[in-house]
Amino acid sequence: MPNWCYSRIKFTGDYKAVRKLYNFIAEQFDIPFEREPMHFDKNTFLGTFLDRAGLDSERFRCRGQITDWPGPPEPCDDDSGNCEIVIYTETAWCPMIAMWLAIIKKISPNVQLFYASEECGMGIYQSNDPDYVDNYVVDTWIGSRETIPAEVRGTIFGEEFFEDEISEDRLRDELLKAFPDGSDDSTADLIARLDDLDFGDDNGTSVHKWEYYSASEQD
């Protein structure tokens, strides 16, 4: 049973190029594939996209599925003329980006790909997206408020919270609320102090910095 890696994949480019890729992706949602027990639904299975693009699904990692389909692209209002669509995928163990690069090359070569992938069990917090790189993902879960450490009460670490584009400045502001004597500490040291707190068995918090990986480095 794999751990599941969650990815946000953004395709950008001029309207015609993105629209062509969107049509290819969206078409699959309505194709009446035969359903097979114990396999992914073929409408969402990533390997089906490779097959439809005329690519060999045996050559790419594709054990996963789309979990959220894109809405149609709209031309941007800025001078770039670019637009974007976003999909979300769930894949076994790791990001599976190479297959999308191959599909882009085959279907609409002028599209660019930006992604952010998280799989906490494997320690994966990887992205090539400027909106994510150098920012942090913060995830706090609360099952028993009685055991929340006093230090974090009144901070984002003392309540149910999830955000994946936390700037370092904002993160430090919250950490220094918990550790007001830590103004000379590095952000990494403050996170280590947070990790050392006892949240009890029913609570927890996870703070990780996004690590830059180019799309071409991913399988």
Side-chain angles (χ1 to χ4, degrees):
M1 182 71 178
N3 290 353
W4 293 106
C5 178
Y6 302 98
S7 297
R8 178 185 187 271
I9 303 174
K10 177 172 65 178
F11 304 100
T12 71
D14 67 76
Y15 177 76
K16 288 184 177 179
V18 174
R19 183 75 199 200
K20 186 175 182 181
L21 182 65
Y22 166 79
N23 290 343
F24 170 80
I25 293 172
E27 180 183 38
Q28 185 158 314
F29 187 77
D30 296 319
I31 296 175
F33 293 111
E34 180 183 350
R35 306 293 159 68
E36 298 181 18
M38 305 302 293
H39 289 75
F40 290 103
D41 183 325
K42 285 190 176 180
N43 287 94
T44 62
F45 176 51
L46 298 184
T48 311
F49 291 93
L50 289 163
D51 293 339
R52 286 183 50 233
L55 298 165
D56 183 358
S57 58
E58 297 296 320
R59 293 183 54 206
F60 298 90
R61 289 180 183 264
C62 58
R63 186 180 176 188
Q65 62 188 341
I66 287 185
T67 57
D68 194 9
W69 295 79
E74 296 183 2
C76 289
D77 294 331
D78 61 31
D79 293 336
S80 71
N82 286 344
C83 63
E84 66 183 45
I85 57 174
V86 176
I87 64 171
Y88 293 84
T89 64
E90 183 178 88
T91 53
W93 301 114
C94 62
M96 294 177 186
I97 302 301
M99 59 157 287
W100 290 110
L101 294 178
I103 287 172
I104 287 171
K105 185 176 180 179
K106 189 73 176 291
I107 302 298
S108 192
N110 291 326
V111 169
Q112 288 185 286
L113 181 154
F114 296 95
Y115 77 97
S117 297
E118 177 265 323
E119 204 291 276
C120 59
M122 301 293 288
I124 292 173
Y125 299 88
Q126 298 172 352
S127 181
N128 71 336
D129 190 329
D131 290 337
Y132 287 80
V133 174
D134 292 330
N135 286 332
Y136 291 77
V137 55
V138 177
D139 186 12
T140 299
W141 55 98
I142 303 297
S144 173
R145 293 194 173 277
E146 290 74 19
T147 58
I148 298 173
E151 292 92 333
V152 302
R153 294 179 186 272
T155 75
I156 61 176
F157 314 109
E159 58 188 44
E160 289 284 343
F161 182 86
F162 177 82
E163 192 168 330
D164 57 7
E165 296 179 44
I166 298 282
S167 70
E168 184 166 4
D169 286 344
R170 184 184 173 199
L171 177 63
R172 283 189 64 86
D173 286 344
E174 295 295 324
L175 288 167
L176 289 173
K177 290 178 187 178
F179 309 110
D181 63 340
S183 59
D184 292 331
D185 292 352
S186 69
T187 303
D189 287 340
L190 290 170
I191 294 171
R193 291 179 65 176
L194 180 71
D195 290 340
D196 286 341
L197 294 178
D198 182 4
F199 277 75
D201 294 337
D202 298 323
N203 309 320
T205 190
S206 172
V207 180
H208 292 276
K209 188 175 184 178
W210 291 103
E211 185 176 6
Y212 176 82
Y213 270 75
S214 71
S216 60
E217 290 181 90
Q218 298 288 359
D219 291 336

